[in-house]
Amino acid sequence: MNIPFSHYEESADYLRQRIGGFQPKVAMVLGSGLGELGDRVEEPTVVPYGEIPHFKTSTAPGHKGQLVFGHLAGQPVVVMQGRMHHYEGYSYEETTYAIRVFRLLGADTLMVTNAAGGVNQDFKAGELMLITDQIKPFLDSPLRGENLPQFGPRFPDASYLYTPRLQDLARETAHSQGISLREGIYLYFPGPQYETPAEVRMARAWGADAVGMSTVAEVIVAAHCGMEVLGVSLITNMAAGILPQPLSEQEVLAAAAAAKETFSALILGCLNKL
Ligand code: HPA
């Protein structure tokens, strides 16, 4: 428990050597099956997680486990191809480690995407959802333990975790590109088992529109260190119990693959207008 500030600095120092004078503005954490956007980065510098001091590796399917630095839609970015999840055995502090390193490298914006199960019955599989707020029930905060004031305050505000200005940007981008964009609240379950139908009813009663196994801790850490955040979910399936059929990982990955182009267009459009 409690990673010292010196580790973050050592990771950042190593990466600075790898990327020369390049300074990313936008950090991108891309979810299941959506990591391909990283392959479109221009003049990329690719750094596998295993080469970076103190970095953990990602074991989830569809997650490559490397950083890609370069330009995307005119912005200097670092793309995380593969994220760390709590269900892989990592603490929340470990799953969010890279975000703080990106901040030390100069990134001031986090774009985060994920695959999620639809809880709002108006949604359909294959739709995109702008995340307007989140619920992280009962479990440890990634900020638990000694606060590192170099990053932010002990008790950070969480009223605007998802930056209103960036939400507007996403709405405008979707509208101008003719992309249908739902909006809603993302509720975190730790997984790796999908939710039970009873848990999904609870999620709905609590006001959630989608459920998923990532994102919330990363967003808390990014906001804590002063980054602006844009979050978009791809509704890969309706959550358990909504349709009379079981869920499968194949279904989730297939839906992610099918929506790749629309999803990429939205994210690239937002990047371009930042
Ligand atoms: N639940 C949790 N995580 C998910 C789901 C789901 O239904 N679909 C994709 N990721």
Side-chain angles (χ1 to χ4, degrees):
M1 191 64 199
N2 268 180
I3 300 170
F5 186 68
S6 60
H7 282 202
Y8 296 101
E9 282 185 312
E10 283 160 26
S11 299
D13 284 346
Y14 173 82
L15 287 168
R16 273 190 209 100
Q17 287 171 23
R18 294 288 298 263
I19 59 180
F22 180 80
Q23 188 180 310
K25 172 180 171 58
V26 184
M28 307 182 70
V29 183
L30 304 172
S32 300
L34 307 171
E36 271 189 25
L37 213 47
D39 298 335
R40 300 204 202 167
V41 171
E42 288 154 33
E43 294 178 44
T45 303
V46 177
V47 186
Y49 296 161
E51 294 176 9
I52 309 167
H54 311 302
F55 251 63
K56 306 289 177 204
T57 52
S58 161
T59 64
H63 293 253
K64 276 190 185 171
Q66 59 189 27
L67 299 182
V68 185
F69 294 87
H71 281 84
L72 198 58
Q75 297 290 346
V77 301
V78 52
V79 178
M80 204 171 178
Q81 279 188 313
R83 57 151 58 95
M84 272 56 95
H85 302 81
H86 188 67
Y87 64 69
E88 294 173 81
Y90 298 127
S91 68
Y92 291 111
E93 198 183 15
E94 287 169 332
T95 63
T96 57
Y97 181 81
I99 307 292
R100 288 177 155 181
V101 174
F102 299 151
R103 184 64 175 140
L104 291 178
L105 293 176
D108 62 11
T109 305
L110 175 69
M111 285 193 181
V112 66
T113 73
N114 56 52
V119 172
N120 184 329
Q121 303 228 11
D122 292 340
F123 290 2
K124 284 194 283 301
E127 291 187 314
L128 295 169
M129 184 190 88
L130 175 67
I131 308 177
T132 57
D133 203 352
Q134 69 180 36
I135 304 174
K136 182 184 191 305
F138 310 140
L139 300 152
D140 280 358
S141 166
L143 305 177
R144 177 168 180 255
E146 184 196 348
N147 184 50
L148 294 178
Q150 297 93 330
F151 289 116
R154 169 77 296 185
F155 299 108
D157 180 47
S159 307
Y160 304 100
L161 287 184
Y162 295 85
T163 310
R165 184 179 75 80
L166 297 184
Q167 291 184 42
D168 284 343
L169 185 77
R171 291 182 187 106
E172 286 159 21
T173 306
H175 182 74
S176 70
Q177 300 201 8
I179 296 171
S180 137
L181 183 62
R182 301 291 198 152
E183 300 194 8
I185 294 170
Y186 177 95
L187 187 147
Y188 169 79
F189 279 99
Q193 76 285 357
Y194 292 114
E195 300 71 29
T196 66
E199 287 166 339
V200 171
R201 287 193 294 275
M202 181 196 78
R204 190 65 191 140
W206 282 4
D209 297 286
V211 290
M213 305 178 196
S214 66
T215 302
V216 295
E218 293 147 358
V219 170
I220 289 169
V221 164
H224 177 247
C225 64
M227 296 172 83
E228 295 196 316
V229 176
L230 175 69
V232 181
S233 292
L234 169 63
I235 307 298
T236 50
N237 57 282
M238 292 311 287
I242 294 186
L243 301 176
Q245 62 194 43
L247 272 52
S248 78
E249 187 183 328
Q250 283 70 26
E251 173 193 13
V252 168
L253 293 176
K260 211 170 51 190
E261 287 310 317
T262 314
F263 173 77
S264 302
L266 177 65
I267 295 296
L268 292 173
C270 290
L271 261 181
N272 194 252
K273 286 197 199 151
L274 266 183

